[in-house]
Amino acid sequence: MASRAKVTVIGAGNVGATTAQRIAEAGLADVVLVDIVEGLPQGKGLDLAEAAPVVGHDAQVIGTNDYADTAGSDVVVVTSGLARQPGMSRDDLLMKNAGIVRSVVEAAARVSPEAILIVVTNPLDAMCHVAHRASGFPRERVLGMAGVLDSARFRTFIAQELGVSVEDVHAFVLGGHGDTMVPLSRYSTVAGVPITELLPAARVRALEERTANGGAEVVALLKTGSAFYAPAASTFEMVDAILRDRKRVLPCAVLLQGEFGVHDLFVGVPIVLGRGGLERVFEIELTSDERTAFEKSAAAVEELVQKLPA
Ligand code: APR
């Protein structure tokens, strides 16, 4: 009898627990929630399991501090890490989260050697490098979640601006996650019509800027902590594309090996995502302005990667 797929979610905080909830409630896979804090993943896992009869699904959810329980996972989602604390520089955060991501990926990869890794911890593109090295996995099985979130934000703002359904809005973003991301408005459409034909250039620019600052806008409102509903929904979309072999075309951070003129760097680009993970980089032509912005974004990723311990 076919058994359900198994997904491990490392980090039982806001993003991890919400991702676990989405996966379980969709009945997509059994979920193992892992955290370094004792009791936290067990408590949230039990709570999620107790929601199952009401929600109506049969996925198993457990929480643990022991990687043995994660063995044989099909997908491993990495959300563990620290948020930036007052007085902590971006570089301090980079080093702290690099240490956390390295240790959790080593432990998880050892017992799930065939898994596909989805990295969510920030700074995203640099953490993908750490996960790639720590796992020893081929590039097809190490993916970063950022582009789906960034384009979801862009789609939200476009739909609100034009008063249309989000369902009919498609948006395209490239590049690193953060200030240097590159929204491609030319390829962002409402029912197939580019938004550059529907909105004045200044409004398009404003929506692009709001998208690039989308994470910071939520942090400023929440004051403690960062966004998690949209990040979890975006992570779920990637897990779903993989486990159901949907061949979705989604922007993900992947290790480029010459595509878009970039070598050995994780940067967000559209890919075909299926049961094999990265199945194809979906290369598109860029205008010279877009290319310049993309190269600037890749350079910002490179700068962080250079700072990582070897
Ligand atoms: N092993 C396992 N879990 C760990 C470890 C570790 N070594 N170190 C920290 N954690 C756990 C924490 O105990 C915490 O429960 O990671 C969890 C992080 O959860 P939150 O602080 O709630 O952070 P969250 O909002 O979920 O964001 C997680 O995703 O979007 C990114 O920028 C965000 O990097 C951040 C990550």
Side-chain angles (χ1 to χ4, degrees):
M1 208 197 302
S3 60
R4 250 186 309 272
K6 178 171 178 177
V7 176
T8 286
V9 179
I10 307 175
N14 280 335
V15 178
T18 311
T19 302
Q21 179 182 7
R22 284 195 168 272
I23 294 169
E25 292 189 352
L28 185 62
D30 291 336
V31 182
V32 181
L33 202 48
V34 186
D35 204 280
I36 198 165
V37 177
E38 278 177 32
L40 178 73
Q42 290 87 345
K44 290 194 180 181
L46 180 60
D47 197 8
L48 283 169
E50 289 167 353
V54 183
V55 178
H57 69 81
D58 293 302
Q60 304 293 307
V61 188
I62 62 156
T64 183
N65 308 113
D66 182 355
Y67 284 86
D69 296 324
T70 72
S73 293
D74 298 285
V75 175
V76 174
V77 177
V78 179
T79 77
S80 51
L82 301 180
R84 197 165 154 194
Q85 319 279 319
M88 197 189 223
S89 72
R90 274 180 194 274
D91 285 0
D92 290 342
L93 180 71
L94 176 76
M95 295 308 166
K96 286 237 157 45
N97 281 354
I100 292 172
V101 169
R102 184 183 315 110
S103 70
V104 305
V105 167
E106 276 171 4
R110 203 171 296 133
V111 293
S112 298
E114 300 304 324
I116 293 175
L117 287 175
I118 300 177
V119 180
V120 181
T121 305
N122 278 313
L124 193 272
D125 308 274
M127 292 308 110
C128 290
H129 277 266
V130 173
H132 182 242
R133 278 184 213 156
S135 63
F137 287 0
R139 73 161 181 161
E140 286 73 17
R141 294 196 281 118
V142 183
L143 310 161
M145 190 294 293
V148 177
L149 171 61
D150 292 328
S151 65
R153 287 178 171 148
F154 200 16
R155 289 172 67 192
T156 307
F157 303 146
I158 293 166
Q160 288 176 352
E161 177 85 11
L162 289 166
V164 298
S165 166
V166 289
E167 197 178 314
D168 297 314
V169 180
H170 286 268
F172 226 108
V173 298
L174 287 180
H177 185 44
D179 320 343
T180 64
M181 64 169 259
V182 185
L184 289 189
S185 293
R186 212 160 54 86
Y187 288 125
S188 300
T189 61
V190 177
V193 182
I195 61 165
T196 46
E197 291 180 22
L198 297 169
L199 288 167
R203 285 310 301 158
V204 170
R205 189 72 214 124
L207 300 186
E208 289 176 352
E209 274 168 19
R210 190 173 176 198
T211 303
N213 295 319
E217 185 178 357
V218 174
V219 169
L221 290 165
L222 291 179
K223 296 187 183 70
T224 55
S226 50
F228 57 99
Y229 291 117
S234 304
T235 307
F236 171 80
E237 188 169 49
M238 290 176 64
V239 176
D240 177 65
I242 293 166
L243 292 180
R244 296 205 290 145
D245 193 25
R246 296 191 62 195
K247 319 286 188 200
R248 294 289 310 276
V249 179
L250 297 174
C252 300
V254 295
L255 186 70
L256 294 180
Q257 291 177 332
E259 298 92 349
F260 291 91
V262 174
H263 294 268
D264 298 324
L265 209 55
F266 274 87
V267 192
V269 295
I271 66 163
V272 178
L273 186 60
R275 192 61 189 85
L278 162 65
E279 299 198 348
R280 181 154 52 93
V281 174
F282 198 77
E283 263 194 285
I284 50 168
E285 284 301 316
L286 300 180
T287 63
S288 71
D289 282 358
E290 288 163 355
R291 177 153 294 285
T292 305
F294 182 72
E295 281 164 5
K296 195 173 146 209
S297 186
V301 175
E302 172 90 60
E303 199 182 306
L304 283 189
V305 171
Q306 293 297 340
K307 291 181 183 159
L308 290 171

